[in-house]
């Protein structure tokens, strides 16, 4: 490895030095070095300590200019560059030069970051959140060859035989940011697919979703089954219930299997679909809380005015909403209308 080291102090021009640095790292990458060897070579080239830190694992590799491994906390970095893979920041590389950075430090660190990303991708799975959408689609597809799906899961970093929780997400937030919040401990993979975000992990923390995110969480099982459940759960989400776990739906999940035409033809569903936005909000609050007074509290209205509106809605539905049967009919029809709009 020492024979590869090109001393920066011997270079006559910045351009020539940059070319030599690029060639140096190209040679290292062809030799398939690991992170410790990469750190040692970089420290020898820069003639000062160099370090690599991987965020996902917390791994830190440092080496002195003579190639000796360094332990403990690093000294103050003179310059740093982020390691990125699949457009995600996965780590940091740095130099610990005693004085100010020299002109070629920026080139050296850029190439070191690229080389470190290549090492992680080669010996991975790479510790990134974002994944190839085509690979994710293959892993969660119910069609195709089982062996191909198993291979896709392995490439994503998951064992084909292990239960997997897949989540369907709709949000304007970056998908990798959401995945990091709901699954702070790796492995987790995510990708956009047909307008819906896909998050794959062994387990998901529902409390980690920001309030503006709609998420349907599938049950733990095979990836394709969990994805189907996640899409069903996503249809049940709304302003009052932005995150829905398929396991919590129970028999309600069966409503998602009813043909659209059959839903629209139902008299209760058709009647609720004709209600005004205000009446729909009142009915939704009442069905959600199961109480006239609690619905009034949620809507910040007087309970007597809510009672009058519910009485009018009940006449429209030809059902007494104060009875268990009437309330059940309203809940089912309201859910059906919600599914038709989602």
């Amino acid at each position: 490895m020492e024979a590869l080291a090109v001393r920066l102090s011997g270079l006559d021009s910045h351009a020539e030095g940059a070319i030599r640095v690029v060639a140096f790292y190209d040679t290292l990458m062809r030799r398939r070095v690991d992170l410790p060897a990469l750190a040692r070579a970089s420290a020898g080239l820069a003639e000062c300590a160099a370090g690599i830190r991987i965020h996902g694992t917390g791994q830190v590799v440092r080496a002195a200019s003579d190639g000796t491994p360094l332990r403990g906390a690093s000294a103050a970095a003179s310059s740093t560059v982020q390691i990125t893979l699949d457009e995600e920041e996965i780590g940091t590389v740095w130099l610990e030069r005693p004085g100010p950075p020299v002109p070629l430090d920026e080139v050296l660190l850029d190439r070191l970051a690229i080389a470190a990303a290549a090492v992680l991708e080669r010996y991975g799975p790479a510790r990134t959140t974002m994944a190839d959408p085509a690979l994710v689609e293959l892993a969660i597809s119910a069609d195709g060859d089982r062996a191909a799906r198993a291979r896709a899961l392995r490439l994503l970093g998951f064992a084909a035989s292990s239960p997997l929780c897949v989540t369907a997400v709709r949000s304007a937030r970056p998908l990798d940011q959401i995945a990091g919040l709901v699954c702070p401990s790796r492995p987790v993979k995510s990708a956009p697919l047909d307008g819906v975000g896909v998050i794959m992990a062994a387990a998901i923390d529902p409390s980690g979703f920001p309030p503006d995110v709609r998420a349907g969480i599938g049950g733990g099982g095979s990836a394709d089954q969990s994805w189907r459940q996640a899409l069903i759960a996503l249809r049940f989400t709304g302003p009052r219930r932005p995150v829905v776990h398929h396991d919590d739906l129970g028999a309600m999940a069966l409503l998602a299997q009813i043909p659209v035409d059959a839903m629209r033809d139902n008299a209760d569903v058709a009647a609720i679909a004709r209600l005004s936005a205000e009446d729909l909000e009142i009915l939704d609050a009442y069905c959600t809380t199961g109480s006239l007074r609690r619905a009034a509290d949620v809507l910040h209205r007087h309970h007597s005015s809510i009672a009058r509106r519910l009485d009018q809605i009940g006449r429209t539905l030809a059902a007494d909403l104060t009875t268990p049967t009437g309330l059940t009919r309203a809940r089912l029809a309201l859910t059906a209308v919600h599914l038709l709009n989602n």
Side-chain angles (χ1 to χ4, degrees):
M1 188 62 68
E2 289 76 12
L4 292 172
V6 179
R7 300 298 180 183
L8 298 180
S9 58
L11 299 175
D12 296 330
S13 70
H14 181 80
E16 181 185 358
I19 293 172
R20 299 284 292 276
V21 170
V22 171
F24 174 78
Y25 281 100
D26 284 348
T27 301
L28 289 178
M29 293 168 72
R30 283 197 298 271
R31 294 193 175 191
R32 296 179 175 268
V33 297
D34 56 11
L35 290 181
L38 194 55
R40 289 195 302 270
S42 300
L45 178 62
E47 298 183 322
C48 69
I52 303 171
R53 185 184 190 281
I54 308 305
H55 297 331
T57 61
Q59 179 186 11
V60 176
V61 180
R62 295 173 62 223
S65 58
D66 62 359
T68 304
L70 295 175
R71 308 296 181 191
S74 62
S78 57
S79 50
T80 64
V81 167
Q82 303 302 322
I83 305 171
T84 59
L85 186 60
D86 296 331
E87 300 183 357
E88 180 182 351
E89 180 185 315
I90 62 171
T92 307
V93 296
W94 68 89
L95 295 178
E96 301 172 21
R97 193 175 296 285
V102 301
L104 287 174
D105 280 359
E106 183 179 356
V107 177
L108 186 151
L109 284 176
D110 282 341
R111 300 304 299 182
L112 173 55
I114 292 171
V119 169
L120 291 169
E121 192 170 32
R122 181 183 303 126
Y123 294 111
R127 294 289 181 168
T128 62
T129 298
M130 298 304 292
D132 180 356
L135 199 60
V136 170
E137 183 176 16
L138 178 58
I140 62 178
S141 173
D143 303 323
D145 181 68
R146 180 181 298 180
R149 292 200 303 271
R151 181 176 181 274
L153 286 169
R154 287 195 299 271
L155 290 173
L156 290 167
F158 301 106
S161 58
S162 298
L164 197 63
C165 180
V166 184
T167 300
V169 173
R170 282 200 178 97
S171 174
R173 291 175 180 261
L175 192 56
D176 61 321
Q177 180 189 102
I178 299 171
L181 291 173
V182 299
C183 190
S185 59
R186 303 297 178 94
V188 57
K189 291 291 181 182
S190 57
L193 192 64
D194 296 331
V196 179
V198 184
I199 297 177
M200 306 172 65
I204 294 289
D205 178 13
S207 65
F209 286 105
D212 57 346
V213 173
R214 300 283 183 90
I217 305 174
S222 65
D224 58 312
Q225 180 186 39
S226 186
W227 174 238
R228 289 195 301 272
Q229 293 174 348
L231 288 175
I232 291 172
L234 183 62
R235 294 181 62 192
F236 283 86
T237 62
R240 299 186 191 280
R241 198 180 180 190
V243 178
V244 174
H245 199 300
H246 184 271
D247 291 349
D248 295 334
L249 291 173
M252 292 289 288
L254 295 174
L255 289 175
Q257 300 180 26
I258 299 176
V260 171
D261 290 341
M263 280 191 184
R264 289 200 178 102
D265 291 341
N266 181 267
D268 285 351
V269 174
I272 285 183
R274 291 192 297 267
L275 293 177
S276 67
E278 184 181 7
D279 283 346
L280 280 174
E281 184 180 24
I282 291 172
L283 184 60
D284 181 53
Y286 178 63
C287 289
T288 301
T289 61
S291 164
L292 181 64
R293 291 189 177 275
R294 284 200 294 270
D297 290 339
V298 168
L299 297 172
H300 306 291
R301 302 270 294 272
H302 195 276
H303 69 275
S304 60
S305 67
I306 297 297
R308 286 194 297 272
R309 297 299 289 271
L310 284 173
D311 185 59
Q312 294 173 1
I313 294 171
R315 286 199 294 272
T316 300
L317 297 177
D320 184 356
L321 299 181
T322 62
T323 66
T325 299
L327 182 58
T328 300
R329 282 177 56 183
R331 282 174 171 165
L332 290 173
L334 189 63
T335 302
V337 171
H338 180 80
L339 291 175
L340 288 173
N341 296 326
N342 288 275

